Amino acid sequence: MNGKVYILEDDASISGLVRVSLEMNGTELESFSCIKDFYAAMESCVPDVALLDIMLPDGSGLDVLKTVKARYPSVSCIMLSALSKEADKVNGLNLGADDYVAKPFSVLELTARVNAALRRKKRSDSITVGNVTLEYDTMDVRIKGEKVELNRKEFELLKYLMQNAGKVMPREVILLEVWGYEQGETRTLDNHISRLRKLGITELETVFGVGYKFSIS
């Protein structure tokens, strides 16, 4: 099961066991023991699933959950916690968690839950990053809930940049992936970016001398 997972957990032994189990299933895992490092990683690459401990040395995983869901709503969040009462689970789910696993837990069960979250994400027909929502099948694009009209290349360009949100994508890579050019006139790309910005997609950031980035800050 391919996919990228982050785990925010201060117990290294738990992170290690989860890593072994997920990587045996072909899922990439990055582990973090503090909230600061977790947020820094989110700014450079958004995972498919986030596993969040609640009781952390530098804050609450519930606050992290609220932040992740506000900034990156497409990320599936699974809470990992020793707080196992029904009220604790209900609170986590009401705050936006996609799943809640009480400690101690079976690593095999957690792996199955992560795989289920990855399958749901692959079946999803839309992506939301920041204020922008893009529907794959209908080619609908909404900015803060308001629909905007894009032509096919504008749609494919926006989709590619959103799928790589937070990453700096070089011009030549974008031209190859979106237009199929190994080498080409980059003015075409610039014009499409300009058009998207005029429609109100302000997250498109120019990285001078390199390319473009869909900002998630």
Side-chain angles (χ1 to χ4, degrees):
M1 176 69 66
N2 294 321
K4 189 174 185 66
V5 178
Y6 285 174
I7 182 170
L8 177 57
E9 166 64 66
D10 62 327
D11 188 328
S13 62
I14 291 177
S15 296
L17 287 172
V18 174
R19 175 186 299 279
V20 170
S21 183
L22 289 180
E23 290 185 347
M24 286 178 63
N25 284 268
T27 301
E28 182 183 354
L29 178 76
E30 289 191 39
S31 59
F32 307 91
S33 59
C34 68
I35 295 173
K36 179 182 177 181
D37 291 345
F38 176 83
Y39 281 154
M42 291 289 288
E43 290 178 2
S44 62
C45 183
V46 180
D48 299 299
V49 177
L51 306 176
L52 305 174
D53 187 15
I54 291 182
M55 295 182 289
L56 296 159
D58 56 340
S60 169
L62 294 175
D63 291 333
V64 175
L65 168 66
K66 289 185 284 187
T67 298
V68 170
K69 282 300 183 181
R71 296 181 182 176
Y72 321 103
S74 64
V75 176
S76 297
C77 293
I78 301 176
M79 308 309 296
L80 308 176
S81 179
L83 303 175
S84 58
K85 293 182 179 179
E86 182 180 12
D88 298 316
K89 296 179 181 180
V90 169
N91 184 42
L93 294 170
N94 284 340
L95 288 174
D98 297 276
D99 203 347
Y100 193 110
V101 179
K103 297 178 180 177
F105 54 80
S106 161
V107 176
L108 291 178
E109 179 185 351
L110 177 61
T111 299
R113 290 176 181 266
V114 170
N115 287 341
L118 290 171
R119 286 194 298 271
R120 288 194 297 270
K121 188 171 182 64
K122 286 186 176 181
R123 289 197 301 266
S124 174
D125 59 359
S126 68
I127 182 173
T128 299
V129 184
N131 295 320
V132 183
T133 297
L134 182 150
E135 302 282 345
Y136 294 148
D137 294 338
T138 63
M139 289 183 58
D140 284 348
V141 176
R142 296 182 182 275
I143 305 171
K144 296 182 180 179
E146 296 294 324
K147 187 175 179 180
V148 296
E149 297 295 333
L150 304 184
N151 64 38
R152 179 164 292 279
K153 279 302 176 187
E154 290 165 349
F155 179 86
E156 291 176 358
L157 172 60
L158 179 60
K159 175 182 174 181
Y160 180 72
L161 292 174
M162 288 178 67
Q163 288 175 331
N164 291 279
K167 300 179 184 178
V168 178
M169 305 309 296
R171 289 172 174 269
E172 59 271 20
V173 173
I174 298 173
L175 286 169
L176 178 60
E177 294 296 329
V178 178
W179 276 271
Y181 303 160
E182 292 188 6
Q183 294 182 347
E185 173 53 61
T186 60
R187 193 63 189 166
T188 298
L189 170 58
D190 297 337
N191 289 338
H192 279 72
I193 291 289
S194 177
R195 156 78 172 155
L196 292 173
R197 285 173 173 161
K198 287 178 180 177
L199 291 171
I201 304 175
T202 58
E203 292 87 349
L204 296 172
E205 178 182 337
T206 300
V207 182
F208 292 101
V210 183
Y212 292 99
K213 176 173 74 171
F214 192 99
S215 177
I216 55 177
S217 58

